[in-house]
Amino acid sequence: MISKQQHELSGALSTDCMALLEPLLSIRYYADGELIFARGEYKAGLCIVLEGSVKVGNYGKDGRYFLSKVLKPYESFGEFTIFSKLPRTHTAEAYGESKVGYIGPSKLKKAIIKQPEIALQLLQSLSTRLHMSLEVMDDIKRLPVIVRIAKVLFELNREAGGLESHSLSQEEIASQLGVSRMVVSSSLKELSELGLIEKGYRAIRIPDTHRLLSWIKERQQIKDLL
Amino acid sequence: MISKQQHELSGALSTDCMALLEPLLSIRYYADGELIFARGEYKAGLCIVLEGSVKVGNYGKDGRYFLSKVLKPYESFGEFTIFSKLPRTHTAEAYGESKVGYIGPSKLKKAIIKQPEIALQLLQSLSTRLHMSLEVMDDIKRLPVIVRIAKVLFELNREAGGLESHSLSQEEIASQLGVSRMVVSSSLKELSELGLIEKGYRAIRIPDTHRLLSWIKERQQIKDLL
DNA sequence: GTATAAATGTAAACATATTTACATTTATAC
DNA sequence: GTATAAATGTAAATATGTTTACATTTATAC
């Protein structure tokens, strides 16, 4: 079970909010890799991951893929197709088998007017995500890749609820940060030599979360939040 | 006067929304450069620029400043201090003399419950800004600095309602993109040699908006939106 | 077990942007 | 007008990350 604080930090919707929205959702199941929405599409609707994961990112004209985020249950996407009249910014694909809830614009707006608590929850989710996005933007401007990689690993660990070992390839880390696999490889080597992480095949283990955090904090260029 | 579409594209609040909120705002005037909020502060409250401009950005521990955005009238900031319980991500300072409206958490939440239209407007603003932020993030990953500079200039032009000439220093462009002043200088030289812009002292002129846009579009790495 | 695919390690050549340093231009205050 | 400050131009040295290319390791399917 996910704690309340974790909801707030990830932008996921609270169980209270889900209780209000769940009856209104159309449910659909997706197979691994199946396309949910593509960048540029105009069909409006809020999507909420209910089971499994959804990979959100973009393929460039040259085929290069950059991952934006892997959404877990109760995380939503596509708000701007409803509240602004903007097309999808990202391609969303099922990441493993997954169950996704969908609600259209008019239905959602009506629900908000009727139950403004829903709006407060969505406002929380959106403002948290904007917050995170702005922080990452600052990191990109200020921090060297190795520190940003360390932060990604730390975040991964926090979101997973403090698990020690994580299954992900260096390629995935690279596509998330928008850097080459090679620089990820050499950064991980360095972090591993510092004893901050342990590398494996498609795996990273973080033996001591606190030590990793303090290493990151020493390299932080601006005042820490939280 | 700003058109409705421009509101939607910038994340500014609509005049309808302002009509609802204005009676609830505490007004305060700031002198040029005066601090409004600093990064890390916890005092919650939504701020709305009413007159003048507000510069939002961050100073690093080494003193380096990166500009996030210059907010114009009817643009808001600080949502996450209310809807999430997060501290200020950015330092906000008056940019020229300015008038700022302020509304505290409980007052705003009550207003939303009473008039859910306010929530819809805030949701629009937040989702638009998240949308923009994600697009910029993708640009950082994919585009060379010169193209990103061209996009910033194009955006500036669009937001100013198609004015030809703009007063800003190369240093300001650099701090917005998080790059060095020198690379801005050489990029502007290149753009100027291509006839896409004209340089001046603290000034950029865009002789032909459409030509600049098509130059940018040719270099776009992912599918265009809008 | 063996073959194959996927992931990782590594290094040289290259590209891009930063840093440092100083010259030049332009505006502004007196 | 002159002095000063602010902004811009430029270039060499350096740093950081990418690209290309291939070797090696590890998992998985047969």
Side-chain angles (χ1 to χ4, degrees), chain B residues 89-141:
Chain B
T89 34
H90 290 81
T91 294
E93 300 157 296
Y95 193 43
E97 296 202 346
S98 58
K99 180 183 173 185
V100 176
Y102 172 93
I103 178 169
S106 60
K107 211 168 177 179
L108 180 59
K109 283 183 183 172
K110 275 177 203 158
I112 286 174
I113 302 290
K114 207 172 161 190
Q115 295 174 303
E117 305 82 41
I118 295 175
L120 291 176
Q121 297 284 347
L122 290 175
L123 284 166
Q124 181 188 92
S125 171
L126 277 174
S127 62
T128 302
R129 283 147 67 196
L130 182 58
H131 189 280
M132 289 191 299
S133 179
L134 294 172
E135 288 288 289
V136 169
M137 205 93 89
D138 217 306
D139 285 348
I140 291 174
K141 291 172 185 169

Side-chain angles (χ1 to χ4, degrees), chain A residues 4 8-9 39-42 57-68 79-80 83-90 109 112-114 116-117 119-120 122-138 140-142 148 175-178 217-218 220-226, chain B residues 4 8-9 39-42 57-68 79-80 83-90 109 112-114 116-117 119-120 122-138 140-142 148 175-178 217-218 220-226:
Chain A
K4 194 179 178 188
E8 285 173 9
L9 289 174
R39 175 180 172 87
E41 281 186 32
Y42 266 96
N58 269 326
Y59 297 91
K61 287 176 179 166
D62 56 359
R64 290 217 306 171
Y65 177 75
F66 290 123
L67 175 68
S68 182
E79 282 84 351
F80 34 72
F83 301 114
S84 315
K85 286 159 206 156
L86 293 165
R88 307 262 164 197
T89 35
H90 290 81
K109 283 182 183 171
I112 286 174
I113 302 288
K114 206 172 161 189
E117 305 82 42
L120 290 176
L122 289 175
L123 283 166
Q124 180 188 97
S125 171
L126 277 174
S127 61
T128 302
R129 280 147 68 195
L130 181 57
H131 189 279
M132 290 191 299
S133 181
L134 294 173
E135 288 288 287
V136 169
M137 205 92 89
D138 218 305
I140 291 173
K141 291 173 185 170
R142 296 182 197 267
R148 289 170 55 210
S175 80
Q176 189 171 346
L177 290 164
K217 285 202 170 179
E218 279 168 25
Q220 210 72 18
Q221 295 286 333
I222 50 176
K223 192 182 172 190
D224 283 340
L225 301 180
L226 304 178
Chain B
K4 193 178 178 190
E8 284 173 9
L9 288 175
R39 175 178 173 89
E41 281 186 33
Y42 266 96
N58 268 326
Y59 296 92
K61 288 175 179 165
D62 56 358
R64 290 218 306 171
Y65 178 76
F66 290 123
L67 176 69
S68 182
E79 283 85 351
F80 34 70
F83 303 113
S84 315
K85 287 160 206 156
L86 293 166
R88 307 262 164 197
T89 34
H90 290 81
K109 283 183 183 172
I112 286 174
I113 302 290
K114 207 172 161 190
E117 305 82 41
L120 291 176
L122 290 175
L123 284 166
Q124 181 188 92
S125 171
L126 277 174
S127 62
T128 302
R129 283 147 67 196
L130 182 58
H131 189 280
M132 289 191 299
S133 179
L134 294 172
E135 288 288 289
V136 169
M137 205 93 89
D138 217 306
I140 291 174
K141 291 172 185 169
R142 296 181 198 267
R148 290 170 54 211
S175 80
Q176 189 171 346
L177 289 164
K217 284 203 170 178
E218 279 169 24
Q220 211 70 18
Q221 294 287 331
I222 49 175
K223 191 183 172 190
D224 283 340
L225 300 180
L226 303 177

Side-chain angles (χ1 to χ4, degrees), chain B residues 6-191:
Chain B
Q6 275 178 318
H7 272 293
E8 284 173 9
L9 288 175
S10 74
L13 297 170
S14 70
T15 45
D16 296 359
C17 181
M18 287 308 298
L20 294 172
L21 285 178
E22 212 138 22
L24 304 174
L25 299 176
S26 318
I27 306 300
R28 200 175 144 185
Y29 294 85
Y30 293 90
D32 180 34
E34 199 178 343
L35 181 69
I36 302 173
F37 275 114
R39 175 178 173 89
E41 281 186 33
Y42 266 96
K43 189 185 177 207
L46 178 67
C47 299
I48 304 174
V49 182
L50 297 174
E51 288 171 21
S53 306
V54 169
K55 214 170 64 169
V56 171
N58 268 326
Y59 296 92
K61 288 175 179 165
D62 56 358
R64 290 218 306 171
Y65 178 76
F66 290 123
L67 176 69
S68 182
K69 194 154 193 284
V70 174
L71 301 178
K72 299 286 176 185
Y74 296 177
E75 291 192 274
S76 58
F77 61 100
E79 283 85 351
F80 34 70
T81 65
I82 293 186
F83 303 113
S84 315
K85 287 160 206 156
L86 293 166
R88 307 262 164 197
T89 34
H90 290 81
T91 294
E93 300 157 296
Y95 193 43
E97 296 202 346
S98 58
K99 180 183 173 185
V100 176
Y102 172 93
I103 178 169
S106 60
K107 211 168 177 179
L108 180 59
K109 283 183 183 172
K110 275 177 203 158
I112 286 174
I113 302 290
K114 207 172 161 190
Q115 295 174 303
E117 305 82 41
I118 295 175
L120 291 176
Q121 297 284 347
L122 290 175
L123 284 166
Q124 181 188 92
S125 171
L126 277 174
S127 62
T128 302
R129 283 147 67 196
L130 182 58
H131 189 280
M132 289 191 299
S133 179
L134 294 172
E135 288 288 289
V136 169
M137 205 93 89
D138 217 306
D139 285 348
I140 291 174
K141 291 172 185 169
R142 296 181 198 267
L143 299 179
V145 171
I146 188 170
V147 182
R148 290 170 54 211
I149 290 175
K151 288 189 87 166
V152 164
L153 296 177
F154 180 81
E155 273 301 304
L156 186 74
N157 195 260
R158 202 177 50 67
E159 280 172 21
L163 285 177
E164 270 201 336
S165 189
H166 303 279
S167 164
L168 85 168
S169 70
Q170 300 185 0
E171 184 71 54
E172 287 171 319
I173 298 174
S175 80
Q176 189 171 346
L177 289 164
V179 298
S180 69
R181 180 187 62 78
M182 288 61 109
V183 78
V184 172
S185 177
S186 65
S187 296
L188 290 180
K189 187 185 173 191
E190 211 174 320
L191 290 173

